[in-house]
Coordinates of all heavy atoms in Angstrom, one line a residue:
A1 N 106.8 117.8 119.8 CA 107.7 117.6 118.6 C 107.7 118.9 117.8 O 106.7 119.6 117.6 CB 107.2 116.5 117.8
K2 N 108.9 119.2 117.3 CA 109.1 120.4 116.5 C 108.6 120.1 115.1 O 109.0 119.1 114.5 CB 110.5 120.9 116.5 CG 111.0 121.3 117.9 CD 111.3 122.8 117.9 CE 111.9 123.2 119.2 NZ 111.0 123.4 120.3
I3 N 107.8 121.0 114.5 CA 107.3 120.8 113.2 C 107.7 122.1 112.4 O 107.4 123.2 112.9 CB 105.8 120.6 113.1 CG1 105.3 119.6 114.1 CG2 105.4 120.3 111.7 CD1 105.5 118.2 113.7
T4 N 108.3 122.0 111.3 CA 108.7 123.2 110.5 C 107.8 123.2 109.3 O 107.6 122.3 108.5 CB 110.2 123.1 110.1 OG1 111.0 123.1 111.3 CG2 110.5 124.3 109.2
F5 N 107.2 124.4 109.1 CA 106.3 124.7 107.9 C 107.1 125.6 107.0 O 107.5 126.7 107.5 CB 105.0 125.3 108.4 CG 104.2 124.4 109.2 CD1 104.3 124.4 110.6 CD2 103.2 123.6 108.6 CE1 103.5 123.5 111.4 CE2 102.4 122.8 109.4 CZ 102.6 122.7 110.8
I6 N 107.2 125.2 105.8 CA 107.9 126.1 104.8 C 106.8 126.6 103.8 O 106.1 125.8 103.3 CB 109.0 125.4 104.0 CG1 110.1 124.9 105.0 CG2 109.7 126.4 103.0 CD1 111.1 124.0 104.4
E7 N 106.7 127.9 103.7 CA 105.7 128.5 102.8 C 106.2 128.4 101.4 O 107.4 128.2 101.1 CB 105.5 130.0 103.1 CG 104.5 130.2 104.2 CD 104.3 131.7 104.4 OE1 103.6 132.3 103.6 OE2 104.9 132.2 105.4
H8 N 105.3 128.5 100.4 CA 105.6 128.5 99.0 C 106.7 129.5 98.7 O 107.5 129.3 97.9 CB 104.3 128.8 98.2 CG 104.5 128.8 96.8 ND1 104.7 127.6 96.1 CD2 104.6 129.8 95.9 CE1 104.9 127.9 94.8 NE2 104.8 129.3 94.6
S9 N 106.6 130.7 99.4 CA 107.6 131.8 99.2 C 108.9 131.4 99.8 O 109.9 132.1 99.5 CB 107.1 133.0 99.9 OG 107.0 132.7 101.3
G10 N 109.0 130.4 100.6 CA 110.3 130.0 101.1 C 110.5 130.3 102.6 O 111.4 129.9 103.2
E11 N 109.5 131.1 103.1 CA 109.6 131.5 104.5 C 109.3 130.3 105.4 O 108.3 129.6 105.1 CB 108.6 132.6 104.8 CG 108.9 133.4 106.1 CD 108.0 134.6 106.2 OE1 107.7 135.3 105.2 OE2 107.6 134.9 107.3
S12 N 110.0 130.1 106.4 CA 109.8 128.9 107.3 C 109.5 129.3 108.7 O 110.0 130.3 109.2 CB 110.9 127.9 107.2 OG 111.9 128.2 108.1
R13 N 108.7 128.5 109.3 CA 108.3 128.7 110.8 C 108.4 127.3 111.4 O 107.8 126.4 110.9 CB 106.9 129.2 110.9 CG 106.7 130.6 110.5 CD 105.2 131.0 110.7 NE 105.0 132.4 110.3 CZ 105.0 132.7 109.0 NH1 105.1 131.9 108.1 NH2 104.8 134.0 108.7
T14 N 109.0 127.3 112.6 CA 109.0 126.1 113.4 C 108.1 126.2 114.6 O 108.3 127.2 115.3 CB 110.5 125.7 113.8 OG1 111.2 125.6 112.6 CG2 110.5 124.4 114.5
V15 N 107.2 125.3 114.8 CA 106.3 125.4 116.0 C 106.5 124.1 116.8 O 107.0 123.1 116.4 CB 104.9 125.5 115.5 CG1 104.7 126.7 114.6 CG2 104.3 124.2 114.9
D16 N 106.0 124.2 118.1 CA 106.0 123.1 119.0 C 104.7 122.4 118.9 O 103.7 123.0 119.3 CB 106.2 123.6 120.4 CG 107.6 123.1 120.9 OD1 107.9 121.9 120.6 OD2 108.2 123.9 121.6
G17 N 104.6 121.2 118.4 CA 103.4 120.4 118.3 C 103.3 119.4 119.5 O 104.3 118.8 119.8
R18 N 102.1 119.3 120.1 CA 101.9 118.4 121.1 C 101.7 117.0 120.5 O 101.0 116.8 119.5 CB 100.7 118.7 122.0 CG 101.0 119.6 123.1 CD 99.9 119.8 124.1 NE 98.8 120.6 123.4 CZ 97.6 120.1 123.1 NH1 97.4 118.8 123.2 NH2 96.7 120.8 122.5
D19 N 102.2 115.9 121.2 CA 101.8 114.6 120.8 C 100.3 114.4 120.8 O 99.6 114.8 121.7 CB 102.5 113.6 121.8 CG 104.0 113.4 121.5 OD1 104.5 114.2 120.7 OD2 104.5 112.5 122.2
G20 N 99.8 113.8 119.7 CA 98.4 113.5 119.7 C 97.7 114.6 118.9 O 96.6 114.3 118.4
Q21 N 98.3 115.7 118.8 CA 97.7 116.8 118.0 C 97.9 116.5 116.5 O 98.9 115.7 116.3 CB 98.5 118.1 118.3 CG 97.7 119.4 118.4 CD 98.6 120.6 118.8 OE1 99.8 120.5 118.8 NE2 97.9 121.6 119.2
S22 N 97.2 117.0 115.6 CA 97.5 116.8 114.2 C 98.4 117.9 113.8 O 98.5 119.0 114.4 CB 96.2 116.8 113.4 OG 95.7 118.1 113.3
V23 N 99.1 117.7 112.7 CA 100.0 118.7 112.1 C 99.2 120.0 111.8 O 99.6 121.1 112.0 CB 100.8 118.2 110.9 CG1 101.5 119.3 110.1 CG2 101.7 117.1 111.3
M24 N 97.9 119.7 111.3 CA 97.1 120.9 111.0 C 96.8 121.7 112.2 O 96.9 122.9 112.2 CB 95.7 120.4 110.4 CG 94.7 121.4 110.1 SD 93.7 121.9 111.5 CE 92.5 120.6 111.6
E25 N 96.4 121.0 113.3 CA 96.1 121.7 114.6 C 97.3 122.5 115.1 O 97.2 123.7 115.6 CB 95.7 120.8 115.7 CG 94.3 120.3 115.5 CD 93.9 119.0 116.3 OE1 94.8 118.3 116.7 OE2 92.7 118.8 116.6
A26 N 98.5 121.9 115.0 CA 99.7 122.7 115.4 C 99.9 123.9 114.6 O 100.3 125.0 115.1 CB 100.9 121.7 115.2
A27 N 99.6 123.9 113.3 CA 99.7 125.0 112.4 C 98.7 126.1 112.8 O 99.0 127.3 113.0 CB 99.5 124.6 110.9
V28 N 97.4 125.7 113.0 CA 96.3 126.6 113.3 C 96.6 127.3 114.7 O 96.5 128.6 114.7 CB 95.0 125.9 113.3 CG1 93.9 126.8 113.8 CG2 94.7 125.5 111.8
V29 N 96.9 126.6 115.7 CA 97.1 127.2 117.0 C 98.3 128.2 117.0 O 98.4 129.1 117.8 CB 97.2 126.3 118.2 CG1 95.9 125.4 118.3 CG2 98.4 125.4 118.1
N30 N 99.2 127.9 116.1 CA 100.4 128.8 116.1 C 100.4 129.8 114.9 O 101.4 130.4 114.6 CB 101.7 127.9 115.9 CG 102.0 127.1 117.2 OD1 102.4 127.7 118.2 ND2 101.7 125.8 117.2
D31 N 99.2 130.0 114.4 CA 99.0 131.0 113.3 C 99.9 130.8 112.1 O 100.4 131.8 111.6 CB 99.1 132.4 113.9 CG 98.0 132.8 114.8 OD1 96.9 132.4 114.5 OD2 98.3 133.5 115.8
V32 N 100.2 129.6 111.7 CA 101.0 129.3 110.6 C 100.1 129.6 109.3 O 99.0 129.0 109.2 CB 101.5 127.9 110.5 CG1 102.2 127.6 109.2 CG2 102.4 127.6 111.7
P33 N 100.5 130.5 108.4 CA 99.7 130.8 107.3 C 99.8 129.6 106.2 O 100.7 128.8 106.3 CB 100.3 132.0 106.7 CG 101.7 132.0 107.2 CD 101.8 131.2 108.4
G34 N 98.8 129.6 105.3 CA 98.9 128.6 104.3 C 98.1 127.3 104.5 O 98.0 126.5 103.7
I35 N 97.5 127.2 105.7 CA 96.6 126.1 106.0 C 95.3 126.6 106.4 O 95.2 127.2 107.5 CB 97.3 125.2 107.1 CG1 98.6 124.6 106.5 CG2 96.3 124.1 107.5 CD1 99.2 123.5 107.3
D36 N 94.3 126.4 105.6 CA 92.9 126.9 105.8 C 92.1 126.0 106.8 O 91.5 126.5 107.7 CB 92.2 127.1 104.5 CG 92.8 128.2 103.7 OD1 93.7 128.9 104.2 OD2 92.5 128.3 102.5
A37 N 92.2 124.7 106.5 CA 91.5 123.7 107.4 C 90.0 124.0 107.6 O 89.5 124.1 108.7 CB 92.2 123.6 108.7
D38 N 89.3 124.3 106.5 CA 87.9 124.7 106.6 C 87.0 123.7 107.3 O 86.1 124.1 107.9 CB 87.4 124.8 105.1 CG 88.0 126.0 104.4 OD1 88.5 126.9 105.1 OD2 87.9 126.1 103.2
C39 N 87.3 122.4 107.2 CA 86.4 121.5 107.9 C 86.8 121.2 109.3 O 86.2 120.4 110.0 CB 86.4 120.2 107.1 SG 87.8 119.0 107.3
G40 N 87.9 121.8 109.8 CA 88.3 121.6 111.2 C 88.9 120.2 111.5 O 89.0 119.8 112.7
G41 N 89.4 119.5 110.5 CA 90.1 118.3 110.8 C 89.3 117.0 110.5 O 89.7 115.9 110.9
A42 N 88.2 117.1 109.8 CA 87.4 116.0 109.6 C 87.7 115.2 108.3 O 86.9 114.3 107.9 CB 85.9 116.4 109.5
C43 N 88.8 115.6 107.6 CA 89.2 114.9 106.3 C 88.1 115.1 105.3 O 87.7 114.3 104.6 CB 89.5 113.4 106.5 SG 90.4 112.7 105.1
A44 N 87.5 116.3 105.3 CA 86.4 116.6 104.4 C 86.5 117.9 103.6 O 85.6 118.4 103.1 CB 85.1 116.6 105.2
C45 N 87.7 118.5 103.6 CA 87.8 119.8 102.8 C 89.1 119.9 101.9 O 89.1 120.6 101.0 CB 87.8 120.9 103.8 SG 89.3 121.1 104.8
A46 N 90.1 119.2 102.3 CA 91.4 119.2 101.5 C 92.1 120.6 101.6 O 93.0 120.8 100.7 CB 91.2 118.7 100.1
T47 N 91.7 121.5 102.5 CA 92.4 122.8 102.5 C 93.5 122.8 103.6 O 93.9 123.9 104.1 CB 91.4 123.9 102.7 OG1 90.7 123.8 104.0 CG2 90.4 124.0 101.6
C48 N 93.9 121.6 104.0 CA 95.0 121.5 105.0 C 96.1 120.8 104.3 O 97.0 120.2 105.0 CB 94.6 120.8 106.3 SG 94.1 119.1 106.0
H49 N 96.1 120.8 103.0 CA 97.1 120.1 102.1 C 98.5 120.6 102.4 O 98.8 121.8 102.4 CB 96.7 120.4 100.7 CG 97.6 119.8 99.6 ND1 97.7 120.3 98.4 CD2 98.4 118.7 99.6 CE1 98.5 119.6 97.6 NE2 99.0 118.6 98.4
V50 N 99.4 119.6 102.5 CA 100.9 120.0 102.7 C 101.7 118.9 101.9 O 101.2 117.9 101.5 CB 101.4 119.9 104.1 CG1 100.7 121.0 105.0 CG2 101.2 118.5 104.7
Y51 N 102.9 119.3 101.6 CA 103.9 118.4 101.0 C 104.8 118.0 102.1 O 105.4 118.8 102.7 CB 104.6 119.0 99.8 CG 103.8 119.6 98.8 CD1 103.7 121.0 98.5 CD2 103.0 118.8 98.0 CE1 102.9 121.5 97.5 CE2 102.1 119.3 97.0 CZ 102.1 120.7 96.8 OH 101.3 121.2 95.8
V52 N 104.9 116.7 102.3 CA 105.9 116.2 103.3 C 107.3 116.1 102.7 O 107.5 115.7 101.6 CB 105.4 114.7 103.7 CG1 106.5 114.1 104.7 CG2 104.0 114.7 104.3
D53 N 108.2 116.7 103.4 CA 109.6 116.7 103.0 C 110.1 115.3 102.7 O 109.8 114.3 103.4 CB 110.5 117.3 104.1 CG 111.9 117.4 103.7 OD1 112.3 118.5 103.1 OD2 112.7 116.5 103.9
E54 N 110.8 115.2 101.6 CA 111.3 113.8 101.1 C 111.9 113.0 102.2 O 111.7 111.8 102.2 CB 112.3 114.0 99.9 CG 111.7 114.7 98.7 CD 110.6 114.0 98.0 OE1 110.5 112.8 98.2 OE2 109.9 114.7 97.2
A55 N 112.6 113.6 103.1 CA 113.3 112.9 104.1 C 112.4 112.3 105.1 O 112.7 111.4 105.9 CB 114.3 113.8 104.8
W56 N 111.1 112.7 105.1 CA 110.1 112.3 106.1 C 109.0 111.4 105.5 O 108.2 110.9 106.3 CB 109.6 113.5 106.8 CG 110.5 114.2 107.7 CD1 111.4 115.2 107.4 CD2 110.8 113.8 109.0 NE1 112.2 115.5 108.5 CE2 111.8 114.7 109.5 CE3 110.2 112.9 109.9 CZ2 112.3 114.6 110.8 CZ3 110.7 112.9 111.2 CH2 111.7 113.7 111.7
T57 N 108.9 111.3 104.2 CA 107.8 110.6 103.7 C 107.6 109.2 104.2 O 106.5 108.8 104.5 CB 107.8 110.6 102.1 OG1 109.1 110.1 101.7 CG2 107.6 111.9 101.5
E58 N 108.7 108.5 104.4 CA 108.6 107.1 104.9 C 108.0 107.1 106.3 O 107.1 106.3 106.6 CB 109.9 106.4 104.8 CG 109.8 104.9 104.7 CD 111.2 104.3 104.3 OE1 111.7 104.8 103.3 OE2 111.7 103.4 105.0
K59 N 108.6 107.9 107.2 CA 108.1 108.0 108.6 C 106.7 108.4 108.7 O 105.9 107.9 109.5 CB 109.0 108.9 109.4 CG 109.7 108.2 110.5 CD 110.6 109.1 111.3 CE 111.7 108.3 111.9 NZ 112.8 109.1 112.4
V60 N 106.3 109.4 107.9 CA 104.9 109.9 108.0 C 103.9 108.9 107.4 O 102.8 108.7 107.9 CB 104.8 111.2 107.3 CG1 103.4 111.7 107.2 CG2 105.7 112.3 108.0
G61 N 104.4 108.2 106.3 CA 103.5 107.2 105.7 C 102.6 107.9 104.7 O 102.5 109.1 104.5
G62 N 101.8 107.0 104.0 CA 100.9 107.5 103.0 C 99.5 107.8 103.5 O 99.2 107.5 104.7
P63 N 98.7 108.3 102.7 CA 97.3 108.6 103.1 C 96.4 107.4 103.2 O 96.6 106.4 102.4 CB 96.8 109.6 102.0 CG 97.6 109.2 100.8 CD 98.9 108.8 101.3
A64 N 95.5 107.4 104.1 CA 94.5 106.4 104.2 C 93.5 106.5 102.9 O 93.5 107.6 102.3 CB 93.7 106.5 105.5
P65 N 92.8 105.5 102.6 CA 91.9 105.6 101.4 C 91.0 106.8 101.4 O 90.8 107.5 100.4 CB 91.1 104.3 101.4 CG 92.0 103.3 102.2 CD 92.7 104.2 103.2
M66 N 90.4 107.1 102.5 CA 89.4 108.3 102.6 C 90.2 109.6 102.4 O 89.7 110.5 101.7 CB 88.8 108.3 104.0 CG 87.9 109.4 104.3 SD 87.2 109.2 106.0 CE 86.7 110.8 106.3
E67 N 91.4 109.6 102.9 CA 92.2 110.9 102.7 C 92.6 111.0 101.2 O 92.6 112.0 100.6 CB 93.4 110.8 103.6 CG 94.4 112.0 103.4 CD 95.6 111.9 104.2 OE1 95.7 111.0 105.2 OE2 96.6 112.6 103.9
E68 N 92.9 109.8 100.6 CA 93.4 109.8 99.2 C 92.2 110.3 98.3 O 92.5 111.1 97.4 CB 93.7 108.4 98.8 CG 94.8 108.3 97.8 CD 95.3 106.9 97.7 OE1 95.2 106.1 98.6 OE2 95.8 106.6 96.6
D69 N 91.0 109.9 98.6 CA 89.8 110.4 97.9 C 89.7 111.9 98.0 O 89.4 112.7 97.1 CB 88.5 109.8 98.4 CG 88.4 108.3 98.0 OD1 89.2 107.9 97.1 OD2 87.6 107.6 98.5
M70 N 89.9 112.4 99.2 CA 89.8 113.9 99.5 C 90.9 114.7 98.8 O 90.7 115.8 98.4 CB 89.7 114.1 101.0 CG 89.2 115.4 101.5 SD 87.7 116.1 100.6 CE 86.5 114.8 101.0
L71 N 92.1 114.1 98.7 CA 93.2 114.7 98.1 C 92.9 115.1 96.6 O 93.5 116.0 96.1 CB 94.5 113.9 98.2 CG 95.4 114.1 99.4 CD1 96.4 113.0 99.4 CD2 96.0 115.5 99.3
D72 N 92.0 114.4 96.0 CA 91.6 114.7 94.6 C 91.1 116.1 94.5 O 91.2 116.7 93.4 CB 90.5 113.8 94.1 CG 91.0 112.3 93.9 OD1 92.2 112.2 93.8 OD2 90.2 111.4 93.8
F73 N 90.7 116.7 95.6 CA 90.1 118.0 95.6 C 91.2 119.1 95.9 O 90.9 120.3 95.9 CB 89.0 118.2 96.6 CG 87.8 117.3 96.2 CD1 87.6 116.0 96.8 CD2 86.8 117.7 95.3 CE1 86.6 115.2 96.4 CE2 85.8 116.9 95.0 CZ 85.7 115.7 95.5
A74 N 92.4 118.7 96.2 CA 93.4 119.6 96.6 C 94.1 120.1 95.3 O 94.0 119.5 94.3 CB 94.5 118.9 97.5
Y75 N 94.8 121.3 95.5 CA 95.4 121.9 94.4 C 96.9 121.4 94.2 O 97.6 121.3 95.2 CB 95.5 123.4 94.7 CG 96.3 124.3 93.7 CD1 95.9 124.6 92.5 CD2 97.6 124.7 94.1 CE1 96.7 125.3 91.6 CE2 98.4 125.5 93.3 CZ 97.9 125.8 92.0 OH 98.7 126.5 91.2
D76 N 97.3 121.1 93.0 CA 98.6 120.6 92.7 C 99.1 119.5 93.6 O 100.0 119.6 94.4 CB 99.6 121.8 92.8 CG 101.0 121.5 92.2 OD1 101.1 120.5 91.5 OD2 101.9 122.3 92.5
V77 N 98.4 118.4 93.5 CA 98.7 117.2 94.3 C 100.0 116.5 93.7 O 100.2 116.4 92.5 CB 97.6 116.2 94.3 CG1 97.9 114.9 95.1 CG2 96.4 116.9 95.0
R78 N 100.9 116.1 94.6 CA 102.1 115.4 94.3 C 102.2 114.1 95.1 O 101.4 113.9 96.0 CB 103.3 116.3 94.6 CG 103.2 117.7 93.9 CD 104.4 118.6 94.3 NE 104.1 119.9 93.9 CZ 104.8 121.0 94.3 NH1 105.8 120.8 95.2 NH2 104.5 122.2 93.9
P79 N 103.2 113.3 94.7 CA 103.3 112.0 95.4 C 103.5 112.1 96.9 O 103.1 111.3 97.7 CB 104.6 111.3 94.8 CG 104.7 112.0 93.4 CD 104.2 113.4 93.6
N80 N 104.1 113.3 97.4 CA 104.3 113.5 98.8 C 103.2 114.3 99.5 O 103.4 114.9 100.5 CB 105.7 114.0 99.1 CG 105.9 115.4 98.4 OD1 105.2 115.7 97.4 ND2 106.9 116.2 98.9
S81 N 102.1 114.5 98.8 CA 101.0 115.3 99.3 C 100.3 114.5 100.5 O 100.1 113.3 100.4 CB 99.9 115.5 98.3 OG 100.4 116.5 97.3
R82 N 100.0 115.2 101.5 CA 99.1 114.7 102.6 C 98.2 115.8 103.1 O 98.4 117.0 102.9 CB 100.0 114.2 103.8 CG 100.8 113.0 103.6 CD 100.0 111.7 103.5 NE 99.0 111.5 104.5 CZ 99.2 110.9 105.7 NH1 100.3 110.3 106.0 NH2 98.2 110.8 106.6
L83 N 97.1 115.3 103.7 CA 96.2 116.3 104.4 C 96.8 116.4 105.8 O 96.8 115.3 106.5 CB 94.8 115.8 104.4 CG 94.2 115.8 102.9 CD1 92.7 115.3 103.0 CD2 94.3 117.2 102.3
S84 N 97.2 117.6 106.3 CA 97.9 117.7 107.5 C 97.0 117.4 108.7 O 97.5 117.1 109.8 CB 98.5 119.1 107.7 OG 97.5 120.1 107.6
C85 N 95.7 117.4 108.6 CA 94.8 117.0 109.7 C 94.9 115.5 110.0 O 94.4 115.1 111.0 CB 93.4 117.5 109.6 SG 92.4 116.7 108.3
Q86 N 95.4 114.8 109.0 CA 95.4 113.3 109.1 C 96.8 112.8 109.5 O 97.1 111.6 109.5 CB 95.0 112.7 107.8 CG 93.5 113.1 107.4 CD 92.5 112.7 108.5 OE1 92.4 111.6 108.9 NE2 91.8 113.8 108.9
I87 N 97.7 113.8 109.8 CA 99.1 113.4 110.3 C 99.1 113.6 111.8 O 99.0 114.8 112.2 CB 100.2 114.2 109.6 CG1 100.1 114.0 108.1 CG2 101.5 113.7 110.1 CD1 101.1 114.9 107.3
K88 N 99.2 112.6 112.6 CA 99.2 112.7 114.0 C 100.6 112.9 114.5 O 101.5 112.2 114.1 CB 98.6 111.5 114.7 CG 98.2 111.8 116.1 CD 97.5 110.6 116.7 CE 96.0 110.9 116.8 NZ 95.2 110.1 117.6
I89 N 100.8 113.9 115.3 CA 102.2 114.2 115.9 C 102.6 113.2 116.9 O 101.8 112.9 117.9 CB 102.2 115.6 116.4 CG1 102.0 116.6 115.3 CG2 103.6 115.9 117.1 CD1 101.8 118.1 115.8
T90 N 103.7 112.6 116.7 CA 104.3 111.7 117.7 C 105.7 112.1 118.0 O 106.3 112.9 117.2 CB 104.3 110.2 117.2 OG1 105.1 110.2 116.0 CG2 102.9 109.7 116.9
A91 N 106.4 111.5 119.0 CA 107.8 111.9 119.3 C 108.7 111.5 118.1 O 109.6 112.2 117.8 CB 108.2 111.1 120.5
E92 N 108.3 110.5 117.3 CA 109.1 110.1 116.2 C 109.1 111.2 115.1 O 110.0 111.2 114.2 CB 108.6 108.8 115.5 CG 108.9 107.5 116.3 CD 107.8 107.3 117.3 OE1 106.8 106.7 117.0 OE2 108.1 107.6 118.5
L93 N 108.1 112.0 115.1 CA 108.0 113.0 114.0 C 108.7 114.3 114.4 O 108.6 115.3 113.8 CB 106.6 113.3 113.6 CG 105.9 112.1 112.9 CD1 104.5 112.5 112.4 CD2 106.7 111.5 111.8
D94 N 109.5 114.3 115.5 CA 110.2 115.5 116.0 C 111.1 115.9 114.9 O 112.0 115.2 114.4 CB 110.9 115.3 117.3 CG 111.6 116.5 117.8 OD1 111.0 117.6 117.7 OD2 112.7 116.4 118.3
G95 N 111.0 117.2 114.4 CA 111.9 117.7 113.3 C 111.2 117.7 112.0 O 111.8 118.1 111.0
L96 N 110.0 117.2 111.9 CA 109.3 117.0 110.6 C 109.2 118.4 109.9 O 109.1 119.4 110.5 CB 107.8 116.6 110.9 CG 106.9 116.5 109.7 CD1 107.3 115.4 108.7 CD2 105.4 116.3 110.2
V97 N 109.4 118.3 108.6 CA 109.4 119.4 107.7 C 108.3 119.2 106.7 O 108.3 118.2 106.0 CB 110.7 119.7 107.0 CG1 110.7 120.9 106.1 CG2 111.8 119.8 108.0
V98 N 107.4 120.2 106.6 CA 106.4 120.1 105.5 C 106.3 121.5 104.8 O 106.7 122.5 105.4 CB 104.9 119.8 106.0 CG1 104.9 118.4 106.7 CG2 104.4 120.9 107.0
T99 N 105.9 121.4 103.5 CA 105.8 122.7 102.7 C 104.3 122.9 102.4 O 103.6 121.9 102.1 CB 106.6 122.5 101.4 OG1 107.9 122.2 101.7 CG2 106.6 123.8 100.6
T100 N 103.9 124.1 102.5 CA 102.5 124.4 102.2 C 102.4 124.8 100.7 O 103.3 125.4 100.2 CB 101.9 125.6 103.1 OG1 102.8 126.7 103.1 CG2 101.8 125.1 104.5
P101 N 101.3 124.4 100.0 CA 101.2 124.7 98.6 C 101.0 126.2 98.3 O 100.7 126.9 99.2 CB 100.0 123.8 98.2 CG 99.2 123.6 99.4 CD 100.2 123.7 100.6
E102 N 101.1 126.5 97.1 CA 100.9 127.9 96.6 C 99.5 128.4 97.1 O 99.4 129.6 97.4 CB 101.1 128.0 95.1 CG 101.1 129.4 94.6 CD 101.4 129.4 93.1 OE1 101.5 128.3 92.5 OE2 101.4 130.5 92.5
R103 N 98.5 127.6 97.0 CA 97.2 127.9 97.5 C 96.5 126.7 97.9 O 96.9 125.6 97.5 CB 96.4 128.7 96.4 CG 96.1 127.9 95.1 CD 95.4 128.8 94.1 NE 95.2 128.2 92.9 CZ 94.1 127.4 92.6 NH1 93.2 127.2 93.5 NH2 94.0 126.9 91.4
Q104 N 95.4 126.8 98.6 CA 94.6 125.7 99.1 C 93.3 125.6 98.2 O 92.8 126.6 97.8 CB 94.2 125.8 100.6 CG 95.4 125.7 101.5 CD 95.9 124.3 101.7 OE1 95.4 123.4 101.1 NE2 97.0 124.2 102.4
G105 N 92.9 124.4 98.0 CA 91.6 124.2 97.3 C 91.6 124.4 95.8 O 92.6 124.8 95.3
Ligands
FES201 FE1 89.7 119.6 106.3 FE2 92.1 118.5 106.8 S1 91.2 120.2 107.8 S2 90.6 117.9 105.4

């Protein structure tokens, strides 16, 4: 599935994510800047924070309780904030657009 990452600066990159991979993993293997992912996807660092594009929030869904707790540690949290390591890529998410925050943590 194609995932587009838009940086705070407005620069965008579209990468090919494999089904079953997380959005965070797709960013890291494709050298997308703006996602630190310090904990490697364990929902324990909040440095993989992204904003889900408004058109996608329903399809992506909201955070699980554990993720919601961890989001408290993220910078500038908004209603469409998610931790990208907790978003699993599926065929339905082809075309997903997320924005990375100004900074992580
Ligand atoms: Fe650490 Fe997502 S990579 S919470």
Side-chain angles (χ1 to χ4, degrees):
K2 296 252 188 276
I3 313 283
T4 298
F5 295 86
I6 303 175
E7 274 181 80
H8 181 72
S9 63
E11 197 170 324
S12 87
R13 285 180 184 73
T14 300
V15 307
D16 246 322
R18 270 189 293 109
D19 283 8
Q21 219 175 16
S22 71
V23 170
M24 176 280 278
E25 285 166 334
V28 169
V29 299
N30 290 288
D31 291 321
V32 173
I35 295 190
D36 295 348
D38 290 339
C39 79
C43 196
C45 72
T47 62
C48 62
H49 177 206
V50 297
Y51 304 115
V52 175
D53 185 88
E54 300 294 342
W56 287 91
T57 49
E58 204 164 308
K59 240 180 205 166
V60 171
M66 178 179 159
E67 180 186 342
E68 212 166 336
D69 287 349
M70 196 42 63
L71 267 170
D72 289 343
F73 296 94
Y75 170 77
D76 191 15
V77 175
R78 301 178 195 165
N80 59 337
S81 287
R82 288 292 312 268
L83 295 178
S84 58
C85 70
Q86 302 301 305
I87 304 174
K88 198 176 256 192
I89 297 172
T90 60
E92 285 87 81
L93 292 187
D94 184 40
L96 175 66
V97 178
V98 300
T99 304
T100 51
E102 190 177 358
R103 62 185 176 84
Q104 293 287 358

